[in-house]
Amino acid sequence: MSAIDDAGRRLRARRRRRDYLLFAAFAAPNFLFLLLFAYWPVVYNGYLSLTDWDMISPAKDFVGLGNYTDLLTDPDFRATLWTTVVFVVGIVAGGIVLGLATALLLNQKLRGRNVVRTLTFAPYVLSGAAVGTLWLFVFDPNYGLIRPLMAPLGLTAPAMMTDSKWALTGLILVYLWKNIGFVAVVYLAGLQGLPREVYEAAALDGAGPWTRLRRITLPLLSPVTFFLLVTCTISTFQAFDVLAMMTAGGPGTSTSTLSWFIYDQGFRAFDAGRSAAGAMIMFAVLLLITAGQARYLERKVHYQ
């Protein structure tokens, strides 16, 4: 029996080695791809954040944490952080609320709702350059569409993109218009997967539409909401295309977010160290926000 047991153990060991080799053969290309194009850029960017480099000269002067100290004590950078917070909260919170409301409307049995669903999602697939060009015309106080809309009310159209008081608000409105379709489609998919019998039972118990929304729909959609909060927060922090097309961080620095600051320092001021330090700060902020969302918000998620 011992010889048979030894043979069996050797056979199982060979099978395990074969499985490990097969796993390595399939996983190695993906792992190398992630290592080269995801992890290594982060490591190298961290190194650049510790240097003073103009992106032209071959020498990189090591300055340690000097770039981080300069940024965190710079009033303009702190203003950029606050602008980023307002920008992200406005787009994510507004997108979740308006996207859910749109999804609830599109989930009704209305005539032509398929066409409306397509039109709602269409702005999301447009390029940032096209969206920026369109809304620059809309917001033009002299020739744009905003002027005839406000004239009957006796109001003067504000210079949305050239007035520092309005520029950030206008930019948030544009990103909301562009992103609501994505949020609505994701919520709509979640709504169509909810069990109908739960709503029928609630209706028989006398629950009204508001009670069903608050007690049934929102809790059952919590996994979708959790997914959207994480993905929309990350994408909004990285938003760049429409911002670059419409305001380029201006007027002044009124719409300068972290993503624009990183670009501006790296490719306009040619200060790779400050740019890389800003990128690492954004990476740390996103990591903390995502970890916080995963830890605290997931407790509120009700999986079916």
Side-chain angles (χ1 to χ4, degrees), residues 44 47-48 50-55 57-63 272:
Y44 188 68
Y47 162 70
L48 286 180
L50 304 176
T51 65
D52 181 15
W53 183 41
D54 60 6
M55 301 180 68
S57 62
K60 302 180 182 68
D61 298 327
F62 186 79
V63 295

Side-chain angles (χ1 to χ4, degrees), residues 37 63 69 83 105 108 112 114 130 147 217 226:
F37 297 102
V63 295
T69 303
T83 301
L105 179 63
Q108 305 300 315
N114 291 333
R147 182 180 181 183
T217 303
F226 176 67

Side-chain angles (χ1 to χ4, degrees), residues 58-97:
K60 302 180 182 68
D61 298 327
F62 186 79
V63 295
L65 299 178
N67 289 319
Y68 294 95
T69 303
D70 291 343
L71 288 181
L72 295 178
T73 56
D74 185 355
D76 290 337
F77 182 74
R78 291 200 294 267
T80 295
L81 290 177
W82 175 247
T83 301
T84 305
V85 170
V86 175
F87 181 73
V88 171
V89 171
I91 293 174
V92 174
I96 293 293
V97 173

